[in-house]
Amino acid sequence: QVWQIRLDMHLLNHDGNITDAASIAGIVALCHFRRPDVSVQGEEVTVYTPEERDPVPLSIHHMPICVSFAFFHQGTYLLVDPTEREERVMDGLLVIAMNKHQEICTIQSSGVITLLQDQILRCSQITAVKVAEITELIQKALENDQKASRKEGGKFGFAESIPNQRITAFKMDSAAVDTTDVEEQAGEIIAKADPPAEVFANPVLHTPGTAQIGEGVESSWGDLEESEKEEAADEEGESEAAALECEKVETEDTSTLKESKSSEPIVLSDSEEEEVVILEPQEVPGKTR
């Protein structure tokens, strides 16, 4: 039988280089964790409670720490621990995981650049220095926690590490509020205050294209502008002239038709090239033409 351990990380704030922060947080959490003590006798397994036996730490042989490098201008510039804004404009990223014994655990490269051997060696040398510093800080934090909380019975955690009276902290000492003589103080403040400025009951904005604020004015949406009135009058005059011209043409056509019926013979023609037949008016007994 074995222990199964799952490590979940919840990001409270992301300001860049989340890989390094997550690796450090995960390593510290695993080093700080204590599992229940167990004894095995034959096939019988006994898991002891914290009251029966002190929990025991995990067997962690080394701490792999990740160090990230951001490259700019095709590797010309190198930056350790990039921020979020720097990550947005970087050309590539190199992550090296190493322990304090300068043993490389993993290397990951991403981006659109090709790194040279000298660049990777330089990054590995910087990583060795950074890993030694971070490992020392982790060990000191674990020793302080062991001394404060486990031996002396005090509290030494995240909430206790937040200093008071800081704008970035959520922890703050409670302050007593004096509510005596509140009405008298409010009356004195109102009496000393300046009188309100003059207020217009019906303010009007005298600007073309705006409406009145207050009682309102007569709507002018239906009224035509001067230019629109002139255009409408011109269109009306043109329509009347066209109507008179049309009536005159119809009158002339009617008079011409009457004259043709009374004097001219009727001409029937199928085409210009065919024979033209002229029919003279004749009188038929008993019928009227």
Side-chain angles (χ1 to χ4, degrees):
Q1 297 184 2
V2 297
W3 290 103
Q4 181 181 2
I5 300 175
R6 187 183 71 180
L7 179 62
D8 296 329
M9 297 186 183
H10 301 275
L11 304 180
L12 301 180
N13 186 18
H14 177 24
D15 193 25
N17 196 14
I18 194 62
T19 303
D20 296 5
S23 67
I24 295 173
I27 287 296
V28 174
L30 294 175
C31 294
H32 186 268
F33 176 73
R34 297 292 187 271
R35 65 168 178 82
D37 194 6
V38 179
S39 64
V40 180
Q41 296 179 357
E43 296 182 355
E44 183 180 359
V45 178
T46 304
V47 179
Y48 298 98
T49 61
E51 289 76 14
E52 295 174 345
R53 289 187 181 181
D54 292 336
V56 295
L58 301 178
S59 299
I60 298 178
H61 302 287
H62 63 92
M63 301 180 186
I65 305 298
C66 294
V67 180
S68 299
F69 300 89
F71 295 91
F72 303 89
H73 294 284
Q74 298 300 320
T76 305
Y77 300 100
L78 173 64
L79 185 64
V80 184
D81 190 10
T83 62
E84 182 183 5
R85 291 186 176 181
E86 294 166 347
E87 288 180 349
R88 293 181 180 180
V89 296
M90 67 182 180
D91 296 333
L93 184 69
L94 178 65
V95 181
I96 300 179
M98 183 184 296
N99 57 18
K100 66 178 182 178
H101 305 294
Q102 298 186 5
E103 297 174 348
I104 296 178
C105 303
T106 181
I107 295 180
Q108 181 183 6
S109 177
S110 60
V112 292
I113 62 171
T114 301
L115 300 177
L116 301 177
Q117 181 179 359
D118 295 339
Q119 292 175 323
I120 298 177
L121 290 176
R122 181 187 175 191
C123 293
S124 63
Q125 294 173 359
I126 298 174
T127 301
V129 177
K130 294 295 182 182
V131 167
E133 296 176 356
I134 297 173
T135 303
E136 185 178 358
L137 293 175
I138 292 175
Q139 290 176 349
K140 287 184 179 180
L142 293 174
E143 291 175 0
N144 293 336
D145 176 77
Q146 179 73 16
K147 179 180 178 181
S149 61
R150 301 190 183 277
K151 290 186 177 181
E152 298 179 0
K155 294 184 178 181
F156 190 87
F158 178 75
E160 285 71 20
S161 63
I162 298 177
N164 295 335
Q165 305 299 332
R166 293 287 296 274
I167 192 172
T168 57
F170 296 112
K171 183 179 178 182
M172 193 171 186
D173 295 336
S174 58
V177 179
D178 186 10
T179 58
T180 57
D181 301 334
V182 174
E183 296 181 357
E184 296 180 0
Q185 295 178 5
E188 293 177 359
I189 294 174
I190 295 173
K192 295 179 180 179
D194 297 332
E198 184 180 0
V199 179
F200 296 94
N202 300 319
V204 180
L205 298 179
H206 300 282
T207 306
T210 59
Q212 178 180 351
I213 301 176
E215 297 179 355
V217 295
E218 184 179 357
S219 176
S220 61
W221 286 94
D223 299 340
L224 297 177
E225 299 287 342
E226 294 296 333
S227 58
E228 295 180 355
K229 291 180 180 180
E230 294 178 359
E231 292 178 359
D234 294 341
E235 292 179 358
E236 185 177 358
E238 292 177 359
S239 61
E240 291 180 356
L244 293 175
E245 187 68 23
C246 182
E247 184 178 355
K248 182 179 179 182
V249 171
E250 290 179 355
T251 305
E252 292 177 356
D253 293 343
T254 305
S255 61
T256 304
L257 180 59
K258 290 181 179 179
E259 292 177 357
S260 63
K261 285 184 178 181
S262 60
S263 60
E264 295 180 359
I266 300 174
V267 180
L268 300 178
S269 174
D270 294 335
S271 64
E272 295 180 356
E273 297 179 356
E274 294 181 355
E275 182 181 0
V276 179
V277 180
I278 299 175
L279 300 179
E280 294 292 342
Q282 296 180 1
E283 294 183 1
V284 179
K287 294 184 179 180
T288 306
R289 290 180 63 89

